């Protein structure tokens, strides 16, 4: 089939063969055929379509042994193929499908990673509610959503950040209806989302100053906010790797120092120094 350029037929043969092996729990053979499905997609330069992502790749992923190294290799290669030049980290739809499968397996941390790179803020919020209720402390209910919102904003996904916050605070059984909320950190996130829409640096600066006690609960919060300040409020990047330079940067930018040319600013926007695990 491949030598005759019958790529669709070759892919169907490999896919059905993989399903057959999976049905008899022949994991190694099924994984081999699953990788061949990807090879066909790569060689045929097949266009990325939701049907292939959902009915082929996500289905094969869901049937693979959760702890197999082949599964890791399959995901990495599938995301690379799905890029199609538009997204460096893989197609958002594929990330969303992987996230849902991992959520069903109660692999919450991996699921959260893939939700972050999807556009499914509502699904992410519902997963986080379950994650918080089953694995987290009651005192951490606000931290689960705060981290997600800040990371979505670091990825310049403002819409999903808003959706994950509103859905999570509405559906979590331990959060009283707001805003305003009982938890100061939730109020900070609520104000932050409003500030991002407004784009006023002074508002962002005062907000970060007033809520420092809450922001100190996780050492990464100020790192995320440094990045958010650069992306949405024109705050210049930190000049030194010293930790906790958020307020200094904000004050410098308010006084007009540290201006950079547009090219440097664009280069900074394209690179994210923060690891979003």
């Amino acid at each position: 089939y491949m030598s005759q350029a019958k790529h669709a037929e070759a892919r169907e043969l490999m896919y059905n063969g993989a399903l057959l092996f999976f049905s008899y729990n022949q994991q190694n053979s099924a994984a081999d055929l699953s990788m061949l499905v990807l090879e066909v997609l790569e060689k045929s330069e097949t266009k990325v379509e939701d049907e292939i992502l959902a009915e082929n790749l996500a289905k094969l992923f869901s049937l693979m042994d959760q702890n197999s190294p082949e599964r890791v290799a399959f995901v990495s290669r599938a995301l690379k193929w799905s890029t199609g030049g538009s997204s460096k980290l893989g197609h958002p739809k594929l990330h969303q499908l992987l996230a849902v499968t991992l959520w069903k397996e109660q692999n919450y941390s991996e699921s959260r990673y893939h939700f972050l790179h999807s556009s499914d803020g509502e699904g992410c919020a519902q997963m986080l509610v379950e994650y918080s209720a089953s694995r987290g402390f009651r005192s951490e209910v606000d931290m689960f959503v705060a981290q997600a919102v800040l990371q979505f904003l670091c990825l310049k996904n403002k819409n999903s950040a808003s959706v994950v916050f509103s859905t999570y605070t509405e559906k979590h059984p331990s959060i009283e209806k707001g805003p305003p909320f009982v938890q100061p950190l939730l109020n900070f996130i609520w104000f932050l989302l409003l500030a991002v829409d407004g784009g006023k640096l002074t508002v962002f600066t005062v907000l970060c100053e007033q809520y420092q006690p809450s922001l100190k609960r996780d050492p990464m919060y100020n790192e995320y906010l440094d990045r958010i300040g650069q992306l949405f409020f024109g705050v210049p990047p930190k000049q030194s790797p010293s930790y906790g330079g958020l307020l200094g940067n904000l004050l410098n930018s308010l006084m007009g120092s540290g201006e950079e040319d547009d090219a440097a600013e664009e280069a900074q926007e394209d690179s994210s120094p923060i690891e979003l695990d």
Side-chain angles (χ1 to χ4, degrees), residues 40-178:
V40 174
L41 290 171
E42 291 163 353
K43 288 185 175 179
S44 63
E45 298 182 359
T46 303
K47 186 180 177 183
V48 177
E49 296 174 350
D50 284 359
E51 184 179 350
I52 295 173
L53 297 176
E55 295 183 11
N56 286 185
L57 303 185
K59 176 71 172 176
L60 293 173
F61 173 80
S62 69
L63 294 170
M64 286 184 181
D65 185 283
Q66 297 177 24
N67 300 311
S68 69
E70 290 84 5
R71 197 188 207 198
V72 176
F74 179 81
V75 169
S76 177
R77 193 167 172 182
L79 287 170
K80 187 175 180 181
W81 170 78
S82 75
T83 299
S86 61
S87 174
K88 296 176 184 177
L89 296 167
H91 197 286
K93 178 66 176 177
L94 182 55
H95 276 295
Q96 191 260 344
L97 294 165
L98 297 173
V100 169
T101 295
L102 291 160
W103 177 13
K104 289 176 182 174
E105 296 171 1
Q106 296 186 326
N107 187 344
Y108 298 114
S109 59
E110 288 292 320
S111 174
R112 198 178 69 83
Y113 168 81
H114 288 291
F115 268 125
L116 274 175
H117 295 289
S118 76
S119 299
D120 186 6
E122 186 174 351
C124 183
Q126 291 173 339
M127 182 277 295
L128 287 173
V129 169
E130 186 179 307
Y131 190 8
S132 166
S134 62
R135 305 278 174 88
F137 295 105
R138 186 180 175 87
S139 60
E140 296 175 336
V141 293
D142 50 351
M143 298 180 76
F144 277 81
V145 71
Q147 184 185 44
V149 169
L150 293 173
Q151 290 183 341
F152 268 124
L153 289 175
C154 285
L155 293 167
K156 294 192 279 191
N157 191 343
K158 186 168 67 171
N159 182 59
S160 292
S162 297
V163 172
V164 76
F165 180 73
S166 59
T167 306
Y168 183 91
T169 52
E170 181 184 318
K171 294 185 179 295
H172 201 294
S174 298
I175 294 177
E176 295 178 22
K177 289 208 177 295

Side-chain angles (χ1 to χ4, degrees), residues 256-274:
S257 63
E259 289 181 2
E260 297 186 78
D261 58 35
D262 291 340
E265 205 170 286
E266 285 177 10
Q268 179 65 26
E269 276 195 21
D270 290 338
S271 64
S272 180
I274 299 173

Side-chain angles (χ1 to χ4, degrees), residues 27-47:
Q27 282 283 334
N28 291 339
S29 298
D32 288 342
L33 286 178
S34 299
M35 296 300 280
L36 287 173
V37 169
L38 285 173
E39 188 175 316
V40 174
L41 290 171
E42 291 163 353
K43 288 185 175 179
S44 63
E45 298 182 359
T46 303
K47 186 180 177 183

